[in-house]
């Protein structure tokens, strides 16, 4: 079962919080709604669940217009940030709750609860109460409850935000496994974490200020972002204002070579931090070269993050751990290959600095 937004607008007290969203989630697809707080992503999910009513537009689940249907008639499963488990009910009772609300026969409830708990690895915890579980285990129970009703659509609203980094990594693996076992279930996954979106989603819809800004596969948005916001929000990026002429881009008096010609005029050059090489003196034939001074240094265990300021612009390089990291204020050379630079159209043009 797919999801389709048709020009959906939601407003609270006259303030538009979701502005004319048109987006299709194909059957069996994982679509991540990615954006900062206030971008409209959770509102879009709540419109699918039936918890908010659009001011205009339509929401479709498969071939059904569900815009005005109450939540319990939509047949969707939902997992929210804080899991919303009933503290006075055991795990198996929590998972059975939606099935009882649907008046599923008791024998079927037992079978479906057992199957959902087995799928999420929580079968041995069926008799425990939520307070006796870790955060990751509670999250698995919430997912089991959502899956027990056998939804065609699964809605996940920042489901990993309350977990620590190690648990988040493990649960991402589990969610990916669940999707492989449930290939017909469409998943709408709301997150502000670009790592989660890149890891789990088939496609990502990038949102900002209540509007859809970009949509594509993780590879498309990472390797060839179409907007500066997408470039900076999906994966992090170094963005430089340049003036393009054919295969060359000029920045701060330095000519940079491009692998493919761009449209002549102002643009933004995007280079990912891990594609910048930090060195001393530039070598002949080493690709594009920029000179500046080290203004920031962070050790991250296996890597160093080095900030180099070039003509007033801060560029970040992610490098393997350096045996002799540069000192703050030291001169530095950054190199990158022409094929590792992507041109993004400038939003309003700019002057070369």
């Amino acid at each position: 079962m797919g999801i389709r937004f048709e020009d959906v607008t939601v407003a609270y007290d006259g303030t538009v919080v979701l502005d004319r969203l048109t987006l299709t989630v194909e059957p069996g697809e994982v679509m991540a709604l990615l954006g900062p707080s206030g971008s409209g992503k959770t509102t879009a999910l709540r419109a699918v669940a039936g918890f908010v009513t659009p001011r205009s537009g339509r929401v479709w689940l498969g071939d059904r217009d569900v815009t005005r249907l109450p939540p319990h008639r939509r047949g969707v499963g939902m997992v929210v940030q804080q899991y919303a488990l009933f503290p006075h009910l055991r795990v198996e009772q929590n998972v059975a709750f939606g099935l009882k609300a649907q008046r599923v026969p008791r024998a079927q409830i037992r079978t479906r609860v057992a199957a959902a708990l087995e799928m999420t690895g929580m079968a041995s915890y069926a008799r425990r109460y939520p307070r006796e579980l870790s955060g990751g285990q509670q999250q698995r129970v919430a997912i089991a409850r959502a899956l027990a009703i056998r939804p065609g659509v699964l809605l996940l609203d920042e489901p990993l935000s309350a977990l620590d980094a190690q648990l988040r990594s493990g649960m991402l693996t589990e969610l990916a496994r669940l999707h492989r076992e449930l290939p017909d279930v469409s998943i709408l996954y709301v997150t502000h974490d670009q790592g989660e979106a890149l890891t789990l989603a088939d496609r990502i819809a990038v949102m900002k200020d209540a509007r859809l800004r970009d949509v594509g596969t993780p590879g498309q948005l990472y390797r060839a972002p179409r907007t500066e916001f997408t470039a900076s929000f999906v994966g992090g990026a170094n963005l430089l204002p340049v003036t393009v002429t054919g295969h060359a881009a000029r920045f701060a008096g330095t000519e940079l070579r491009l692998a493919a010609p761009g449209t002549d005029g102002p643009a933004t050059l995007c280079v990912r931090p891990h594609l910048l090489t930090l060195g001393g003196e530039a070598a002949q034939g080493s690709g594009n070269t920029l000179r500046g001074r080290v203004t920031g240094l962070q050790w991250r265990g296996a890597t160093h993050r080095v900030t180099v300021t070039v003509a007033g612009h801060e560029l970040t390089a992610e490098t393997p751990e350096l045996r002799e990291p540069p000192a703050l204020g030291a001169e530095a050379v950054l190199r990158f290959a022409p094929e590792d630079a992507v041109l993004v159209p400038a939003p309003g043009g700019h002057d070369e600095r």
Side-chain angles (χ1 to χ4, degrees), residues 198-275:
L198 291 171
T199 299
L200 191 63
D202 297 312
R203 286 192 299 151
I204 300 172
V206 182
M207 302 189 69
K208 179 186 179 187
D209 297 333
R211 302 192 70 181
L212 178 66
R213 302 294 176 172
D214 210 344
V215 63
T217 67
Q220 288 169 341
L221 298 184
Y222 188 83
R223 296 188 182 95
R226 290 185 285 267
T227 69
E228 289 189 12
F229 179 74
T230 298
S232 61
F233 204 81
V234 180
N238 294 296
L239 301 175
L240 295 175
V242 296
T243 300
V244 177
T245 305
H247 279 82
R250 195 164 187 81
F251 165 71
T254 300
E255 188 169 287
L256 306 172
R257 292 186 293 118
L258 305 173
T263 301
D264 289 358
T268 297
L269 190 74
C270 168
V271 185
R272 298 295 181 182
H274 73 280
L275 297 175

Side-chain angles (χ1 to χ4, degrees), residues 8 21 53 56 104 113 118 125 185 190 201 210 228 244 266 277 295 298:
V8 174
L21 175 63
T53 301
S56 60
V104 173
V113 167
E118 185 68 32
Y125 298 86
V185 176
V190 166
E228 289 189 12
V244 177
T277 300
T295 53
Q298 295 179 2

Side-chain angles (χ1 to χ4, degrees), residues 13-66:
D13 298 325
T15 299
V16 173
V17 293
L18 186 64
D19 190 9
R20 295 168 290 171
L21 175 63
T22 295
L23 180 68
T24 298
V25 182
E26 300 295 341
E29 182 178 37
V30 180
M31 174 73 79
L33 297 182
L34 177 67
S37 298
S39 61
K41 57 189 188 296
T42 293
T43 300
L45 182 139
R46 290 173 61 83
V48 177
F51 298 142
V52 298
T53 301
R55 186 175 73 181
S56 60
R58 292 182 175 184
V59 178
W60 296 78
L61 294 178
D63 58 1
R64 290 193 304 152
D65 181 352
V66 299

Side-chain angles (χ1 to χ4, degrees), residues 97-149:
F97 185 83
L99 297 171
K100 290 181 178 179
Q102 293 180 345
R103 301 184 182 279
V104 173
R106 184 174 299 176
Q108 289 187 32
I109 289 178
R110 285 196 297 269
T111 300
R112 286 165 67 171
V113 167
L117 288 175
E118 185 68 32
M119 184 174 291
T120 54
M122 292 299 292
S124 61
Y125 298 86
R127 298 292 296 169
R128 295 195 185 184
Y129 289 97
R131 65 177 177 273
E132 299 173 317
L133 304 176
S134 68
Q137 290 168 338
Q138 290 183 42
Q139 198 245 26
R140 289 170 186 253
V141 174
I143 293 173
R145 182 175 60 186
L147 294 177
I149 64 171

Side-chain angles (χ1 to χ4, degrees), residues 278 294 296-298 304-308 315-319 322 326:
L278 182 71
V294 176
L297 183 65
Q298 295 179 2
H304 270 100
R305 171 173 284 190
V306 184
T307 302
V308 177
L315 283 78
T316 299
E318 292 277 1
T319 73
L322 299 168

